[in-house]
Amino acid sequence: MKIVMLGAPGAGKGTQARLISEKFGIPQISTGDIFRANIRENTELGQRAKSYMDKGLLVPDQVTCDLVVDRIKRDDCANGYILDGFPRTIPQAHALTKALEDQGSKIDYAIDVEVPDEDIVTRMSGRRVCSKCGATFHIKYKKPAAEGICDSCGSALILREDDHPETVQKRLDVYHSQTQPLIDYYHDLGVLHSVDGTKEMDQVFADICSALE
Ligand code: AMP
């Protein structure tokens, strides 16, 4: 089962992708997480990606596509995967379709998690991330046991550089101009399923599971 998660930044794609990954035993491939891990490890890819991410811009298509096309060839992807945060542009979607066609395969489901922009801004400004392991929390919806401290590793929680309100607005603009056209793209391929992302997390997950069955 090969799944693409669509939706604005902060719509809850990552959380839902993790739940799907656990239920169906297929890997969650998050390009944002891969870039952030590279930034923490200060790799060349990380340094390159950071200059775009901090401004709320997309990392260039070529860099991102090479990374994903390489990743989906690994053994753990044999039974499928969930792409979380990729594709984000029409050229990326074409590159993915082409890479899959070369393997005699295709995307089975594109799940669009719909959330209005106003809700996105509230959600993202409350998001906190662990400075060491990258675990995510929210000051209102997913509080850590001790304020400002990561439940998993005990390190300090911070506001992600790209979750600052001005950057969130920029990311939303980028989403509307570059990523939203993918909804039509996957609709035309006949694999699009939209869910209401403003519902409770469990309900959104139940709606996604019914689309996948
Ligand atoms: P995310 O955690 O998915 O919101 O991604 C955080 C940031 O990583 C984005 O704002 C982009 O700068 C970059 N990024 C993640 N995925 C992609 C992608 N598919 N194409 C280009 N840039 C990406």
Side-chain angles (χ1 to χ4, degrees), residues 31-32 35-36 53 57-59 64 85-86 88 92 160 162 171:
T31 39
F35 290 136
R36 280 185 289 277
M53 290 168 75
L57 300 174
L58 295 182
V59 178
T64 314
F86 181 93
R88 252 179 159 103
Q92 290 183 11
R160 245 166 67 174
D162 57 350
R171 292 169 72 194

mmCIF file of all heavy atoms in Angstrom, residues 31-32 35-36 53 57-59 64 85-86 88 92 160 162 171, ligand 1:
data_model
loop_
_atom_site.group_PDB
_atom_site.id
_atom_site.type_symbol
_atom_site.label_atom_id
_atom_site.label_comp_id
_atom_site.label_asym_id
_atom_site.label_seq_id
_atom_site.Cartn_x
_atom_site.Cartn_y
_atom_site.Cartn_z
ATOM 1 N N THR A 31 9.878 13.861 4.655
ATOM 2 C CA THR A 31 11.023 14.622 4.126
ATOM 3 C C THR A 31 11.440 15.698 5.135
ATOM 4 O O THR A 31 12.633 15.927 5.326
ATOM 5 C CB THR A 31 10.682 15.248 2.761
ATOM 6 O OG1 THR A 31 9.336 15.726 2.784
ATOM 7 C CG2 THR A 31 10.833 14.256 1.652
ATOM 8 N N GLY A 32 10.463 16.323 5.811
ATOM 9 C CA GLY A 32 10.797 17.334 6.824
ATOM 10 C C GLY A 32 11.663 16.720 7.919
ATOM 11 O O GLY A 32 12.675 17.296 8.331
ATOM 12 N N PHE A 35 15.168 16.063 6.627
ATOM 13 C CA PHE A 35 15.960 17.310 6.577
ATOM 14 C C PHE A 35 16.377 17.741 7.986
ATOM 15 O O PHE A 35 17.523 18.120 8.206
ATOM 16 C CB PHE A 35 15.171 18.445 5.903
ATOM 17 C CG PHE A 35 14.979 18.260 4.418
ATOM 18 C CD1 PHE A 35 13.754 18.508 3.816
ATOM 19 C CD2 PHE A 35 16.034 17.852 3.605
ATOM 20 C CE1 PHE A 35 13.580 18.345 2.446
ATOM 21 C CE2 PHE A 35 15.864 17.688 2.231
ATOM 22 C CZ PHE A 35 14.629 17.934 1.648
ATOM 23 N N ARG A 36 15.434 17.664 8.949
ATOM 24 C CA ARG A 36 15.773 18.108 10.311
ATOM 25 C C ARG A 36 16.848 17.231 10.937
ATOM 26 O O ARG A 36 17.736 17.727 11.627
ATOM 27 C CB ARG A 36 14.510 18.158 11.193
ATOM 28 C CG ARG A 36 13.676 19.419 10.966
ATOM 29 C CD ARG A 36 12.505 19.523 11.913
ATOM 30 N NE ARG A 36 11.481 18.542 11.607
ATOM 31 C CZ ARG A 36 10.535 18.701 10.659
ATOM 32 N NH1 ARG A 36 10.482 19.807 9.967
ATOM 33 N NH2 ARG A 36 9.652 17.759 10.432
ATOM 34 N N MET A 53 14.542 26.178 4.655
ATOM 35 C CA MET A 53 13.522 25.892 5.672
ATOM 36 C C MET A 53 13.315 27.071 6.622
ATOM 37 O O MET A 53 12.185 27.403 6.960
ATOM 38 C CB MET A 53 13.903 24.641 6.462
ATOM 39 C CG MET A 53 13.787 23.387 5.623
ATOM 40 S SD MET A 53 14.556 21.953 6.385
ATOM 41 C CE MET A 53 13.378 21.533 7.657
ATOM 42 N N LEU A 57 10.648 28.469 2.903
ATOM 43 C CA LEU A 57 10.636 28.101 1.483
ATOM 44 C C LEU A 57 10.841 26.602 1.310
ATOM 45 O O LEU A 57 11.298 25.914 2.236
ATOM 46 C CB LEU A 57 11.778 28.843 0.759
ATOM 47 C CG LEU A 57 11.715 30.368 0.819
ATOM 48 C CD1 LEU A 57 12.971 30.969 0.208
ATOM 49 C CD2 LEU A 57 10.464 30.863 0.088
ATOM 50 N N LEU A 58 10.553 26.104 0.113
ATOM 51 C CA LEU A 58 10.766 24.688 -0.162
ATOM 52 C C LEU A 58 12.216 24.440 -0.567
ATOM 53 O O LEU A 58 12.836 25.265 -1.250
ATOM 54 C CB LEU A 58 9.851 24.222 -1.298
ATOM 55 C CG LEU A 58 8.349 24.253 -1.019
ATOM 56 C CD1 LEU A 58 7.578 23.713 -2.220
ATOM 57 C CD2 LEU A 58 7.994 23.455 0.233
ATOM 58 N N VAL A 59 12.728 23.299 -0.161
ATOM 59 C CA VAL A 59 14.052 22.849 -0.590
ATOM 60 C C VAL A 59 13.916 22.516 -2.091
ATOM 61 O O VAL A 59 12.852 22.020 -2.507
ATOM 62 C CB VAL A 59 14.451 21.607 0.244
ATOM 63 C CG1 VAL A 59 15.792 21.055 -0.190
ATOM 64 C CG2 VAL A 59 14.466 21.957 1.739
ATOM 65 N N THR A 64 15.278 17.129 -3.202
ATOM 66 C CA THR A 64 14.229 16.404 -2.479
ATOM 67 C C THR A 64 13.847 15.118 -3.215
ATOM 68 O O THR A 64 13.693 14.057 -2.594
ATOM 69 C CB THR A 64 13.002 17.325 -2.319
ATOM 70 O OG1 THR A 64 13.446 18.606 -1.886
ATOM 71 C CG2 THR A 64 12.041 16.786 -1.311
ATOM 72 N N GLY A 85 4.695 14.732 3.572
ATOM 73 C CA GLY A 85 5.414 15.971 3.210
ATOM 74 C C GLY A 85 6.068 15.906 1.846
ATOM 75 O O GLY A 85 6.813 16.794 1.470
ATOM 76 N N PHE A 86 5.805 14.858 1.122
ATOM 77 C CA PHE A 86 6.304 14.705 -0.255
ATOM 78 C C PHE A 86 5.252 13.939 -1.048
ATOM 79 O O PHE A 86 4.710 12.970 -0.532
ATOM 80 C CB PHE A 86 7.623 13.922 -0.269
ATOM 81 C CG PHE A 86 8.184 13.765 -1.669
ATOM 82 C CD1 PHE A 86 9.099 14.664 -2.166
ATOM 83 C CD2 PHE A 86 7.760 12.710 -2.484
ATOM 84 C CE1 PHE A 86 9.593 14.529 -3.458
ATOM 85 C CE2 PHE A 86 8.256 12.571 -3.778
ATOM 86 C CZ PHE A 86 9.173 13.478 -4.262
ATOM 87 N N ARG A 88 5.444 17.888 -2.795
ATOM 88 C CA ARG A 88 4.943 19.198 -2.389
ATOM 89 C C ARG A 88 4.844 20.145 -3.573
ATOM 90 O O ARG A 88 4.437 21.294 -3.397
ATOM 91 C CB ARG A 88 5.895 19.796 -1.366
ATOM 92 C CG ARG A 88 5.336 19.825 0.052
ATOM 93 C CD ARG A 88 6.414 20.412 0.906
ATOM 94 N NE ARG A 88 6.014 20.956 2.140
ATOM 95 C CZ ARG A 88 6.182 20.362 3.319
ATOM 96 N NH1 ARG A 88 6.635 19.144 3.399
ATOM 97 N NH2 ARG A 88 5.891 20.995 4.422
ATOM 98 N N GLN A 92 7.633 17.497 -8.358
ATOM 99 C CA GLN A 92 7.932 16.366 -7.448
ATOM 100 C C GLN A 92 6.946 15.224 -7.678
ATOM 101 O O GLN A 92 7.318 14.046 -7.666
ATOM 102 C CB GLN A 92 7.856 16.812 -5.982
ATOM 103 C CG GLN A 92 8.984 17.738 -5.555
ATOM 104 C CD GLN A 92 8.927 18.119 -4.079
ATOM 105 O OE1 GLN A 92 8.166 17.531 -3.303
ATOM 106 N NE2 GLN A 92 9.721 19.095 -3.684
ATOM 107 N N ARG A 160 10.097 25.661 16.824
ATOM 108 C CA ARG A 160 10.872 25.470 15.598
ATOM 109 C C ARG A 160 11.051 26.800 14.882
ATOM 110 O O ARG A 160 10.103 27.581 14.846
ATOM 111 C CB ARG A 160 10.114 24.507 14.679
ATOM 112 C CG ARG A 160 10.804 23.206 14.427
ATOM 113 C CD ARG A 160 9.858 22.202 13.821
ATOM 114 N NE ARG A 160 9.423 22.546 12.469
ATOM 115 C CZ ARG A 160 8.673 21.750 11.705
ATOM 116 N NH1 ARG A 160 8.283 20.579 12.164
ATOM 117 N NH2 ARG A 160 8.319 22.099 10.495
ATOM 118 N N ASP A 162 10.928 27.528 11.894
ATOM 119 C CA ASP A 162 9.921 27.758 10.857
ATOM 120 C C ASP A 162 8.487 27.731 11.388
ATOM 121 O O ASP A 162 7.542 27.799 10.620
ATOM 122 C CB ASP A 162 10.105 26.797 9.666
ATOM 123 C CG ASP A 162 10.062 25.337 10.057
ATOM 124 O OD1 ASP A 162 10.078 25.043 11.266
ATOM 125 O OD2 ASP A 162 9.999 24.483 9.157
ATOM 126 N N ARG A 171 4.867 29.867 4.841
ATOM 127 C CA ARG A 171 4.698 28.445 4.483
ATOM 128 C C ARG A 171 3.288 28.182 3.952
ATOM 129 O O ARG A 171 3.103 27.375 3.048
ATOM 130 C CB ARG A 171 4.987 27.551 5.699
ATOM 131 C CG ARG A 171 6.451 27.583 6.096
ATOM 132 C CD ARG A 171 6.680 26.921 7.423
ATOM 133 N NE ARG A 171 6.550 25.478 7.360
ATOM 134 C CZ ARG A 171 6.435 24.702 8.425
ATOM 135 N NH1 ARG A 171 6.402 25.224 9.622
ATOM 136 N NH2 ARG A 171 6.339 23.403 8.277
HETATM 137 P P1 AMP B 1 7.452 19.705 7.260
HETATM 138 O O1 AMP B 1 8.011 19.213 8.537
HETATM 139 O O2 AMP B 1 6.931 18.616 6.384
HETATM 140 O O3 AMP B 1 6.454 20.819 7.436
HETATM 141 O O4 AMP B 1 8.692 20.328 6.430
HETATM 142 C C1 AMP B 1 9.450 21.406 6.953
HETATM 143 C C2 AMP B 1 10.205 22.105 5.841
HETATM 144 O O5 AMP B 1 11.076 21.167 5.165
HETATM 145 C C3 AMP B 1 9.348 22.680 4.728
HETATM 146 O O6 AMP B 1 8.829 23.951 5.056
HETATM 147 C C4 AMP B 1 10.364 22.749 3.582
HETATM 148 O O7 AMP B 1 11.267 23.823 3.739
HETATM 149 C C5 AMP B 1 11.141 21.456 3.778
HETATM 150 N N1 AMP B 1 10.513 20.339 3.039
HETATM 151 C C6 AMP B 1 9.909 19.231 3.547
HETATM 152 N N2 AMP B 1 9.434 18.443 2.575
HETATM 153 C C7 AMP B 1 9.729 19.061 1.405
HETATM 154 C C8 AMP B 1 9.478 18.770 0.040
HETATM 155 N N3 AMP B 1 8.799 17.671 -0.347
HETATM 156 N N4 AMP B 1 9.939 19.652 -0.885
HETATM 157 C C9 AMP B 1 10.614 20.769 -0.542
HETATM 158 N N5 AMP B 1 10.856 21.117 0.725
HETATM 159 C C10 AMP B 1 10.423 20.281 1.703
#
